[in-house]
Amino acid sequence: MQRPIVAGNWKMNGNLGSIATLVDAIEAGTGGLDRVRVVLFPPFVYLPQVSHRLKGTAISLGAQTLSEHTAGAFTGEVSASMLLDFDCSYVLVGHSERRNLSRESDLLVARKFVAARDAGLTPVLCVGESLQEREQGATEAVVARQLRVVLDLAGVQRFEGAVVAYEPVWAIGTGMTATPEQAQEVHAFIRRTLAEDNAGLATSLPILYGGSVRAANAAELLAMPDIDGGLVGGASLDASEFLGIAAAAQRHSEGT
Ligand code: PEP
């Protein structure tokens, strides 16, 4: 079994003081968790601070988005090479909040995925349906479309070293978690879709679930065969909740 990934997306939260406290608590609490890959996604401006604090630890650092361009007149944007300067190894691509609030299209998400992968970053490609789409029975069609645009632009080989996160939009920040069975169904569908292009790669690709994951529901989600970890929003701002999720992942990985 691959090491499960427990990733914390802090979104636009925190300040110098609270982030120092949070990262210290997470670092102290994950010391013994040798079978979990922990990744933190702070806001851009705190990357130098968190990067400095994580040096020499097993915790990886990621950014919440990146530019599809390498450099130039793109005010407010941050490139992949800038993220590498601060020891980022992961980057979220296509988070639903960016798809919806910043109007990021499937094609832009695909370009960002390519920019990340080509720079040597691990993109965490977020896909997922809205409540309306689920109620219309369109979940698989939406997820297939989101994946297909990236597969067509990037090519399946660029998924080697990438991560996919299934995040039903209706479960993000709402306290409404998908049931383990609902999540498993979509995770298996994602694997089948990628297998159409490369079966071997589809088997080994880590697929995370995101949407109101907490310490109390992490174990049952991680028990599903196609769930390889969690992308955690709200609960990642609370060190004890986040550490509870990481501990559940460690127990799952140890088979205890
Ligand atoms: C997210 O933002 O990726 C997320 C899953 O948020 P939450 O855990 O708060 O639902």
Side-chain angles (χ1 to χ4, degrees), residues 9 11 95 97 167 171-174 210-213 231-235:
N9 173 14
K11 311 193 186 191
H95 190 282
E97 285 152 16
E167 297 209 303
I172 296 183
T174 59
S212 300
V213 178
L231 178 53
V232 185

Side-chain angles (χ1 to χ4, degrees), residues 9 11 95-97 126-127 166-177 209-212 233:
N9 173 14
K11 311 193 186 191
H95 190 282
S96 63
E97 285 152 16
C126 304
V127 296
Y166 169 56
E167 297 209 303
V169 180
W170 48 271
I172 296 183
T174 59
M176 279 167 65
T177 317
Y209 168 77
S212 300

Side-chain angles (χ1 to χ4, degrees), residues 225-238:
D226 287 299
I227 299 185
D228 305 308
L231 178 53
V232 185
S236 70
L237 294 166
D238 177 330

Side-chain angles (χ1 to χ4, degrees), residues 27-64:
E27 202 280 311
T30 50
L33 304 182
D34 56 345
R35 301 185 69 148
V36 184
R37 193 179 301 274
V38 175
V39 190
L40 300 177
F41 294 89
F44 278 141
V45 292
Y46 300 115
L47 285 173
Q49 178 194 8
V50 180
S51 171
H52 181 71
R53 180 64 188 87
L54 294 182
K55 269 200 194 354
T57 75
I59 300 176
S60 300
L61 185 62
Q64 298 175 14

Side-chain angles (χ1 to χ4, degrees), residues 40-207:
L40 300 177
F41 294 89
F44 278 141
V45 292
Y46 300 115
L47 285 173
Q49 178 194 8
V50 180
S51 171
H52 181 71
R53 180 64 188 87
L54 294 182
K55 269 200 194 354
T57 75
I59 300 176
S60 300
L61 185 62
Q64 298 175 14
T65 184
L66 83 168
S67 171
E68 71 276 29
H69 302 289
T70 51
F74 303 103
T75 302
E77 296 290 325
V78 173
S79 70
S81 66
M82 293 171 182
L83 300 181
L84 290 168
D85 270 347
F86 290 93
D87 299 324
C88 286
S89 42
Y90 290 79
V91 62
L92 299 181
V93 171
H95 190 282
S96 63
E97 285 152 16
R98 296 211 55 92
R99 289 181 189 264
N100 295 328
L101 304 174
S102 304
R103 300 269 177 274
E104 290 193 3
S105 66
D106 293 333
L107 185 58
L108 179 58
V109 170
R111 290 194 177 123
K112 290 183 177 217
F113 182 94
V114 169
R117 202 66 212 88
D118 288 354
L121 290 163
T122 297
V124 179
L125 172 64
C126 304
V127 296
E129 81 288 1
S130 66
L131 185 57
Q132 194 188 14
E133 288 163 340
R134 173 160 283 264
E135 286 172 350
Q136 288 168 348
T139 297
E140 291 192 355
V142 169
V143 170
R145 188 202 72 227
Q146 291 172 333
L147 286 173
R148 182 47 57 195
V149 176
V150 182
L151 279 165
D152 286 350
L153 186 82
V156 72
Q157 284 316 322
R158 281 204 182 83
F159 277 75
E160 179 99 57
V163 173
V164 170
Y166 169 56
E167 297 209 303
V169 180
W170 48 271
I172 296 183
T174 59
M176 279 167 65
T177 317
T179 64
E181 294 72 24
Q182 282 174 322
Q184 166 59 27
E185 210 174 298
V186 183
H187 281 232
F189 173 74
I190 291 169
R191 235 182 264 293
R192 284 201 304 280
T193 304
L194 287 157
E196 287 168 14
D197 289 34
N198 185 322
L201 202 145
T203 311
S204 60
L205 181 85
I207 307 177

